[in-house]
Amino acid sequence: MKCFCQSFLDALDETSAFSPECKIAYAKFINWYFARVEVAFTIEWMSGSTQQLLQELQVENLRMTNVKNKYLTVFESFPQPIILLNDDHSLENLNVPAQRLLGVQYGPGGHYYGQDKDQLMSTPSWLLEEAMEMYDSEAMQHSVERLIPVNGELLPFEIRLQRMKDISGKFTGTVALLDDLTPARRFEELQRAKEETDRVNRKLSEAIKRAHELAGEAKAANACKTEFLASMSHEIRTPMNAVIGMASLLETTSLTPEQQQHVNVIKQSGELLTCVISD
């Protein structure tokens, strides 16, 4: 009721349609009116029996407990780490995945219901830096990727911060959602490795194909060479046999020693060339 009364007083104070004297008079009337309404509600509430009031209080208390339990159930059902911060950036609550991430074991709702607040962990420095940056920039939300220490190693996370949206203005602070990017990073690395392997395989396939082409060309060239040599061997051997034969006939004639020497050279050279052609 006081909130409603204050809303009317604030609206009256902000308007410029009335003179200061009128505002004072209207303010008195607003205070008087809501005071009477509050008295009326109090009288109505007290008119019931004590047993009825107790039952109503028990029902309302049970409803509020169920609402709180529902909130905690939803809060703990998220698979990704969620951290709630107060206005001063201190830890308000964190679900079990967030506890595992930060290396603590309070259990579901353990931080929220923790009795010894001095033993509860403080806000991690990396989260405090991002929350302060969001508030300093007066932004409603903030998203960043950074490395977070987890079990002795730095892992990539996406940190998404969002100011709490509560129309009543009673619950303010920051909601932090953390997404582990490690699986995505590993998938990207595997994808790059696969692409590199595919590229190497393509080059290897091209090299093998080129090697087969060169081998075919070499085989064809060798066949041509063999055919050429066979043809040339035949073409040279025939006249060479004639040369050797004629040299043999000359040996049967009357020759001077010098002529005999020349014939022997011709015959030996012919026979040597014939051996080379045969090889």
Side-chain angles (χ1 to χ4, degrees):
M1 193 58 62
K2 287 183 173 59
C3 292
F4 284 108
C5 179
Q6 188 61 47
S7 298
F8 277 90
L9 292 174
D10 291 341
L12 178 64
D13 185 59
E14 293 175 2
T15 184
S16 59
F18 306 111
S19 64
E21 293 79 8
C22 290
K23 285 185 177 182
I24 293 174
Y26 291 149
K28 290 181 179 180
F29 173 78
I30 292 173
N31 285 320
W32 174 86
Y33 175 79
F34 279 99
R36 295 298 183 274
V37 172
E38 186 174 359
V39 170
F41 275 121
T42 303
I43 294 173
E44 179 65 24
W45 180 74
M46 294 182 65
S47 63
S49 64
T50 303
Q51 185 64 28
Q52 181 182 359
L53 292 176
L54 288 176
Q55 290 178 353
E56 291 177 356
L57 287 174
Q58 289 174 351
V59 171
E60 182 63 19
N61 184 59
L62 180 61
R63 187 190 67 81
M64 294 179 64
T65 301
N66 290 335
V67 169
K68 181 179 292 186
N69 289 336
K70 183 178 181 180
Y71 148 73
L72 289 175
T73 299
V74 174
F75 183 68
E76 294 292 350
S77 297
F78 280 92
Q80 67 263 48
I82 302 178
I83 301 174
L84 304 183
L85 302 179
N86 291 316
D87 280 340
D88 59 357
H89 308 313
S90 61
L91 284 180
E92 170 68 20
N93 200 2
L94 62 163
N95 62 356
V96 171
Q99 294 177 31
R100 287 197 295 264
L101 175 67
L102 300 179
V104 295
Q105 295 181 354
Y106 299 136
H111 191 282
Y112 185 79
Y113 291 113
Q115 298 297 322
D116 191 354
K117 298 297 183 181
D118 294 334
Q119 294 182 1
L120 300 178
M121 71 174 299
S122 58
T123 306
S125 58
W126 49 266
L127 181 56
L128 182 60
E129 291 174 4
E130 300 301 335
M132 293 181 66
E133 180 176 344
M134 182 182 71
Y135 273 75
D136 290 342
S137 63
E138 298 183 355
M140 292 299 298
Q141 57 187 9
H142 176 66
S143 179
V144 65
E145 293 183 9
R146 66 178 294 168
L147 298 176
I148 295 177
V150 181
N151 297 327
E153 61 178 328
L154 294 176
L155 299 181
F157 273 81
E158 180 185 14
I159 305 174
R160 290 178 290 168
L161 302 178
Q162 173 71 53
R163 296 197 188 197
M164 292 186 189
K165 297 179 179 179
D166 179 30
I167 58 174
S168 69
K170 296 179 181 179
F171 305 102
T172 57
T174 305
V175 181
L177 286 83
L178 293 87
D179 290 318
D180 188 359
L181 301 178
T182 304
R185 293 289 185 269
R186 288 175 180 169
F187 176 78
E188 292 172 359
E189 292 175 0
L190 291 175
Q191 190 68 20
R192 287 193 294 268
K194 180 180 180 300
E195 292 174 356
E196 180 63 18
T197 301
D198 293 342
R199 186 185 67 81
V200 172
N201 287 338
R202 284 195 300 269
K203 282 187 169 292
L204 182 59
S205 298
E206 293 173 359
I208 292 174
K209 181 180 178 181
R210 181 58 180 162
H212 285 312
E213 292 175 353
L214 292 176
E217 293 175 0
K219 185 176 181 181
N222 188 55
C224 290
K225 182 187 74 172
T226 301
E227 183 180 355
F228 171 76
L229 290 176
S231 176
M232 291 301 296
S233 174
H234 175 74
E235 296 296 333
I236 295 174
R237 186 180 286 110
T238 300
M240 187 56 61
N241 288 334
V243 171
I244 295 173
M246 293 302 296
S248 297
L249 289 176
L250 285 175
E251 284 182 328
T252 62
T253 62
S254 298
L255 299 173
T256 63
E258 184 179 0
Q259 290 174 333
Q260 184 65 43
Q261 184 179 1
H262 290 164
V263 170
N264 289 337
V265 171
I266 293 172
K267 186 177 179 181
Q268 292 174 358
S269 298
E271 291 175 347
L272 180 62
L273 184 58
T274 300
C275 292
V276 172
I277 294 172
S278 299
D279 293 340

